[in-house]
């Protein structure tokens, strides 16, 4: 005997409507933010608002260098995992020695960019959202405004530039680490030397494959940064609010990365 | 108010507001406010909680978009300013926010130095000296290498003052400078505000709850009441005002149509919790 509470439908519809509006608004904010960032990056000097190389370097260290240990560990594990699964599957056809193909494509086109993106989303994206959110609540963003310092130029552009530079570089590093780890496993398990394995890898991979992965990773970097900033800047309601937008930014960034990855892969393989 | 109009011509004003109406969402917060801040004066904005003091202050420093009305800061109509002119105008304003709003990732010294670093071409040594001087003024000499998290509440406020003053602004804004500070520190801040006016000739706009401090520092006061101006005048004029609502504020009587938590709690517990009514 379950009765539908009165007004449930209208309330749900109202809720869905509100959420949709918020979502559209946020996409709009993100687009505006990208536009503004590009503006300040190239036009800032003219308005006495240059983007400082120093802040970009700080962000690059923060985003990139400190993330290397955990990225290396994860990608080595993924490489070995791919080698194990590849050999296991190919054994069915007695084609274990062709495992290199699978590993090379999978790492360079998918796992390198994806793992890097997800990890950076969890690490840098969340810290960006938290930082911006805290600054908003503490009126630090207002303070920047009244000091005549444009917050986009001062806070967002350095982070964005750092992302666009570091995420592809990290992805490339991850590609190499993943391939190397997989190669070591292959060397131990099958009778293929590391040199022969890398010969094969270089043979099967084209520059296009590498670019496919690196191109995606630049997109991921932009997404992570913009999603982090939009969430952080929209915080309401104190420290709890900061926690909420931080979590939200990570979930959104990872979802965006996975979806973009699929769309990118689809479009890139059309031709 | 009529005396106000007559004397208006004799003073140069740094901020002029005419018929300022503002909204948050659909709620109207300020209902057409006209006031001015004169050159070299300390203007104190008072009023009950939620009356729109902070909102007015945010508009006076051009942080918020208004619904209608005109605003002139340092003889410039802010609606007519280009982005570049706005940046230039902002260099002449200094703000000490209620919570300090120090950048938590920078040291105290770096915080104070930031406006210099961004807006001047001074060399590092000169900037260091200027920062140290400003910190001395607020009695924070030697603290430049601490992080904001390592400071007490009063020290953060004083550091915020140092940062607000480092560019020698024409107008200084302070939101609740003495709220939550112990009396000694609060009165030291009052002294500091007076000194800034006298020594540097700054025009200063202060929002405050503290009546004693308000009467000590104010050259003139603006009393807000639910988005309207109740009174503008000198402390003397305000004390002698026959207006009932003003006298209520001066006598720290709670608004009759607002729930007074203290009274309610006292009635609940049957005891006098604080000894005296506090606003
Ligand atoms: N960011 C905001 N969004 C929506 N409404 C707001 C916002 N800030 C203030 N208000 C509303 O504007 C009105 C005036 O607020 P304001 O902060 O200016 O009051 P105040 O006089 O400074 O009060 P207090 O003395 O408590 O600081 C209040 O009714 C408040 O609810
Ligand atoms: Mg306030």
């Amino acid at each position: 005997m379950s009765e539908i509470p009165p007004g449930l439908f209208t309330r749900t519809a109202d809720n869905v409507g509100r959420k949709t509006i918020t979502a559209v608004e946020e996409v709009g904010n993100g687009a505006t933010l990208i536009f503004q960032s590009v503006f300040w990056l190239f036009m800032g000097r003219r308005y006495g608002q240059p983007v400082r190389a120093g802040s970009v370097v700080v962000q690059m260290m923060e985003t990139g260098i400190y993330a290397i240990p955990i990225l290396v560990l994860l990608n080595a594990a993924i490489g070995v995992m791919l080698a194990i699964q590849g050999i296991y599957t190919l054994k069915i056809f007695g084609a274990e020695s062709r495992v290199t193909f699978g590993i090379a494509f999978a790492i360079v086109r998918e796992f390198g960019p994806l793992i890097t993106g997800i990890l950076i989303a969890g690490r840098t994206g969340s810290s960006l959202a938290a930082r911006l959110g805290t600054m908003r609540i503490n009126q630090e963003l207002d303070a920047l405004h009244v000091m005549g310092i444009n917050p986009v130029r001062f806070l967002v552009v350095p982070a964005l530039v750092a992302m666009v530079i570091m995420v592809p570089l990290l992805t490339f590093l991850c590609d190499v680490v993943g391939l190397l780890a997989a190669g070591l496993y292959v060397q131990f398990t099958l009778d293929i030397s590391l040199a022969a394995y890398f010969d094969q890898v270089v043979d099967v991979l084209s520059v296009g494959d590498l670019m496919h992965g690196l191109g995606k990773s630049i997109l991921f970097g932009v997404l992570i940064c913009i999603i982090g900033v939009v969430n952080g800047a929209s915080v309401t309601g104190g420290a709890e609010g900061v926690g909420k937008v931080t979590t939200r930014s990570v979930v959104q960034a990872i979802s965006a990365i996975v979806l973009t990855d699929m769309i990118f892969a689809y479009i890139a393989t059309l031709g | 108010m009529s005396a106000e109009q007559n004397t208006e011509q004799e003073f140069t004003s740094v901020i002029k507001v005419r018929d300022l109406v503002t909204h948050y969402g659909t709620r109207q917060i300020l209902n057409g406010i006209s006031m001015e801040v004169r050159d070299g004066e300390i203007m104190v904005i008072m009023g009950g909680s939620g009356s729109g003091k902070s909102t007015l202050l945010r508009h006076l420093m051009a942080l918020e978009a208004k619904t209608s009305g005109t605003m002139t800061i340092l003889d410039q109509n802010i609606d007519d300013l280009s982005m570049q002119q706005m940046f230039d105008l902002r260099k002449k304003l200094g703000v000490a926010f209620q919570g300090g709003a120090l950048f938590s990732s920078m040291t105290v010294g770096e915080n104070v130095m930031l406006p210099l670093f961004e807006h001047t071409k001074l060399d590092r040594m000169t900037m260091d000296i200027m920062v140290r001087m400003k910190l001395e003024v607020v009695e924070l000499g030697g603290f430049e290498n601490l992080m904001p998290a390592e400071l007490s509440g009063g020290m953060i406020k004083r550091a915020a003052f140092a940062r607000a003053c480092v560019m020698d602004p024409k107008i200084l804004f302070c939101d609740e400078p003495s709220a939550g500070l112990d009396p000694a520190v609060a009165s030291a801040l009052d002294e500091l505000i007076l000194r800034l006016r006298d020594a540097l000739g700054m025009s200063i706009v202060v929002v405050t709850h503290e009546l004693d401090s308000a009467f000590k520092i104010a050259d003139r006061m603006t009393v807000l009441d639910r988005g309207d101006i109740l009174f503008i005048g000198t402390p003397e004029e305000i004390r002698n005002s026959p207006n009932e609502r003003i006298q209520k504020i001066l006598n720290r009587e709670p608004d009759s149509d607002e729930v007074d938590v203290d009274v309610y709690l006292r009635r609940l517990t049957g005891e006098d919790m604080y000894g005296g009514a506090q606003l």
Side-chain angles (χ1 to χ4, degrees), chain A:
Chain A
M1 264 264 329
S2 65
E3 250 175 63
I4 296 172
L8 177 69
F9 177 73
T10 42
R11 228 174 322 136
T12 313
D14 185 58
N15 242 328
V16 171
R18 257 174 231 280
K19 288 231 164 92
T20 314
I21 290 172
T22 315
V24 171
E25 229 170 48
E26 278 181 338
V27 172
N29 288 347
T32 314
L33 196 60
I34 293 177
F35 176 78
Q36 286 178 341
S37 301
V38 173
F39 175 86
W40 287 113
L41 180 60
F42 293 106
M43 303 293 284
R45 199 159 285 279
R46 183 176 297 184
Y47 291 93
Q49 304 270 333
V51 175
R52 313 231 175 244
S55 349
V56 175
V57 172
V58 170
Q59 289 296 317
M60 280 168 68
M61 296 293 288
E62 199 53 51
T63 309
I65 309 305
Y66 302 139
I68 287 179
I70 180 74
L71 270 175
V72 165
L73 184 70
L74 281 191
N75 279 280
I78 296 271
V80 172
M81 179 269 279
L82 279 174
I84 294 172
Q85 300 287 29
I87 291 170
Y88 177 82
T89 335
L90 289 173
K91 224 178 221 155
I92 302 169
F93 310 105
E96 302 98 294
S97 59
R98 317 304 295 261
V99 72
T100 321
F101 285 85
I103 294 172
F105 285 129
I107 288 183
V108 170
R109 290 177 68 97
E110 274 310 327
F111 283 100
L114 199 60
I115 297 299
T116 311
I118 289 176
L119 198 103
I120 298 291
R123 221 179 149 274
T124 318
S126 63
S127 85
L128 254 178
R131 189 154 68 98
L132 263 281
T134 313
M135 290 186 78
R136 158 126 227 175
I137 285 174
N138 293 343
Q139 292 189 298
E140 290 171 45
L141 293 184
D142 290 334
L144 279 179
H145 265 299
V146 287
M147 278 182 203
I149 298 172
N150 182 283
V152 174
R153 183 271 296 187
F154 190 75
L155 296 170
V156 181
V157 178
L160 189 62
V161 172
M163 285 285 205
V164 168
I165 297 173
M166 287 317 283
V167 177
L169 284 182
L170 289 174
T171 302
F172 184 72
L173 174 78
C174 288
D175 289 349
V176 174
V177 169
L179 288 172
L180 181 67
L184 287 173
Y185 183 83
V186 168
Q187 186 187 22
F188 277 116
T189 321
L190 306 175
D191 217 11
I192 303 174
S193 77
L194 200 58
Y197 163 85
F198 267 110
D199 275 348
Q200 257 184 2
V201 167
V202 172
D203 229 29
V204 296
L205 284 181
S206 67
V207 176
D209 293 320
L210 192 63
M211 286 305 144
H212 177 95
L214 296 185
K216 271 198 298 209
S217 74
I218 293 179
L219 221 53
F220 295 166
V222 173
L223 283 172
I224 294 167
C225 181
I226 297 298
I227 288 174
V229 171
V230 168
N231 273 298
S234 70
V235 71
T236 50
E240 196 191 338
V242 174
K244 257 187 215 154
V245 294
T246 307
T247 313
R248 201 161 167 267
S249 80
V250 174
V251 173
Q252 283 184 357
I254 292 179
S255 314
I257 285 173
V258 173
L259 289 178
T260 311
D261 194 1
M262 184 194 72
I263 296 168
F264 194 96
Y266 178 73
I267 292 174
T269 50
L270 271 185

Side-chain angles (χ1 to χ4, degrees), chain B residues 15-32:
Chain B
I15 301 180
K16 252 189 215 150
V17 183
R18 286 287 166 266
D19 305 319
L20 175 67
V21 178
T22 70
H23 287 82
Y24 272 123
T26 53
R27 256 177 72 217
Q28 185 162 322
I29 308 296
L30 299 178
N31 322 316

